[in-house]
Amino acid sequence: MRTVNEKARREKQIEIMKTCFDCYAEKGFCTVGIKEIAKACGYSAASLYQYFDNLDDLIIKSTEYCMSKVEEEFMAKAPTDVMDLWRFIDEIPYWTAKEHGKKYRLMYQIYTHPKYREFGKKFFKGVDERYTEYAKSLEPKIGIPYEKLTPLIFILIRACVHYALFEDEYYMKSQIDTIKDTLVFYLEKYNPEEKRDNVTE
């Protein structure tokens, strides 16, 4: 059981991580220094080091925490049955670009930086595992094997993130159309009754 001090410390860490990530996302990763982050957090630079080992530690933990929250928000909207698939696929790229675009752009700046690339690899390995588990949970609900669903989820995520980064409608819609066509094919193959009754092409 956490002590009051441990809980309070964690709450302060979360507050700092969120403010740090928002500050970088708004003003740019390469233009913001520790003093500006500290000011945004309402602390001195020295005070930040009571909660994080150094600036790199703050950046790494802020990115992991804030992007895990983005993933949670994304998954909260994820479909749980066939009837909701098309609604989700059509809406999610625009919603997540509006809500998370700056955060996606910052995430890629950080995780493609040579200093932080290994942490990016670790983060995305976790993403792979979580979305595979989601595909497994979806399999009995829509009748498509998770091995077929998982790559479609990855394609959808890539389409959403690319759209959030560049607002490239053509790239996004071409992948969305391919996902829909593939889902129709899989539903016809694995769950034709569900496809006939609930999918509008």
Side-chain angles (χ1 to χ4, degrees), residues 65-81:
Y65 176 81
C66 291
M67 292 312 300
S68 70
K69 292 302 176 184
V70 168
E71 185 182 319
E72 287 177 11
E73 291 179 31
F74 192 101
M75 290 303 296
K77 289 183 170 288
T80 57
D81 56 40

Side-chain angles (χ1 to χ4, degrees), residues 8-49:
R9 178 181 172 80
R10 181 56 181 167
E11 288 173 352
K12 286 290 186 183
Q13 282 184 317
I14 290 172
E15 176 189 329
I16 293 168
M17 288 189 294
K18 290 166 67 175
T19 303
C20 171
F21 201 74
D22 287 343
C23 190
Y24 275 131
E26 191 64 37
K27 298 183 179 182
F29 180 54
C30 297
T31 60
V32 178
I34 186 65
K35 290 182 179 179
E36 190 167 354
I37 292 171
K39 183 179 178 180
C41 293
Y43 292 94
S44 67
S47 296
L48 292 184
Y49 295 130

Side-chain angles (χ1 to χ4, degrees), residues 28-29 50 65 102 119 131 158 164 171 174 182:
F29 180 54
Q50 296 177 23
Y65 176 81
K102 290 180 181 179
F119 295 97
Y131 282 123
R158 172 60 61 186
Y171 179 96
S174 65
T182 306

Side-chain angles (χ1 to χ4, degrees), residues 78-85 133-146 149 187 191 194-195 198:
T80 57
D81 56 40
V82 173
M83 294 180 69
D84 201 34
L85 277 174
E133 288 304 309
Y134 170 66
K136 289 179 179 179
S137 73
L138 201 56
E139 177 178 342
K141 298 171 183 176
I142 67 175
I144 299 174
Y146 84 89
L149 289 171
L187 286 168
N191 197 357
E194 192 73 71
K195 185 268 177 183
N198 294 319

Side-chain angles (χ1 to χ4, degrees), residues 125-136:
K125 182 179 180 182
V127 170
D128 292 347
E129 292 170 355
R130 289 188 291 276
Y131 282 123
T132 300
E133 288 304 309
Y134 170 66
K136 289 179 179 179

Side-chain angles (χ1 to χ4, degrees), residues 6-200:
E6 288 173 334
K7 182 179 179 183
R9 178 181 172 80
R10 181 56 181 167
E11 288 173 352
K12 286 290 186 183
Q13 282 184 317
I14 290 172
E15 176 189 329
I16 293 168
M17 288 189 294
K18 290 166 67 175
T19 303
C20 171
F21 201 74
D22 287 343
C23 190
Y24 275 131
E26 191 64 37
K27 298 183 179 182
F29 180 54
C30 297
T31 60
V32 178
I34 186 65
K35 290 182 179 179
E36 190 167 354
I37 292 171
K39 183 179 178 180
C41 293
Y43 292 94
S44 67
S47 296
L48 292 184
Y49 295 130
Q50 296 177 23
Y51 299 95
F52 301 93
D53 295 340
N54 49 48
L55 182 57
D56 288 335
D57 185 47
L58 173 56
I59 290 169
I60 291 161
K61 289 179 178 174
S62 296
T63 304
E64 182 178 8
Y65 176 81
C66 291
M67 292 312 300
S68 70
K69 292 302 176 184
V70 168
E71 185 182 319
E72 287 177 11
E73 291 179 31
F74 192 101
M75 290 303 296
K77 289 183 170 288
T80 57
D81 56 40
V82 173
M83 294 180 69
D84 201 34
L85 277 174
W86 266 240
R87 185 276 312 168
F88 177 76
I89 292 170
D90 286 334
E91 292 179 1
I92 201 66
Y94 299 103
W95 172 81
T96 199
K98 180 180 177 182
E99 295 296 322
H100 307 127
K102 290 180 181 179
K103 293 182 178 181
Y104 285 128
R105 289 191 286 275
L106 175 58
M107 176 189 71
Y108 276 97
Q109 288 179 61
I110 291 171
Y111 281 154
T112 57
H113 192 290
K115 187 186 290 188
Y116 308 121
R117 188 168 176 268
E118 288 303 312
F119 295 97
K121 289 168 68 176
K122 180 181 176 183
F123 177 79
F124 283 107
K125 182 179 180 182
V127 170
D128 292 347
E129 292 170 355
R130 289 188 291 276
Y131 282 123
T132 300
E133 288 304 309
Y134 170 66
K136 289 179 179 179
S137 73
L138 201 56
E139 177 178 342
K141 298 171 183 176
I142 67 175
I144 299 174
Y146 84 89
E147 297 93 341
K148 305 296 184 184
L149 289 171
T150 302
L152 295 182
I153 292 171
F154 291 152
I155 293 169
L156 176 61
I157 299 303
R158 172 60 61 186
C160 289
V161 172
H162 186 87
Y163 182 75
L165 293 174
F166 304 109
E167 297 181 0
D168 185 345
E169 194 96 6
Y170 178 79
Y171 179 96
M172 183 267 288
K173 286 189 172 180
S174 65
Q175 293 194 71
I176 295 298
D177 287 345
T178 298
I179 291 168
K180 288 181 176 180
D181 289 345
T182 306
L183 281 170
V184 169
F185 171 79
Y186 284 150
L187 286 168
E188 288 175 340
K189 180 176 181 179
Y190 297 108
N191 197 357
E193 183 176 342
E194 192 73 71
K195 185 268 177 183
R196 185 178 63 249
D197 292 343
N198 294 319
V199 176
T200 302

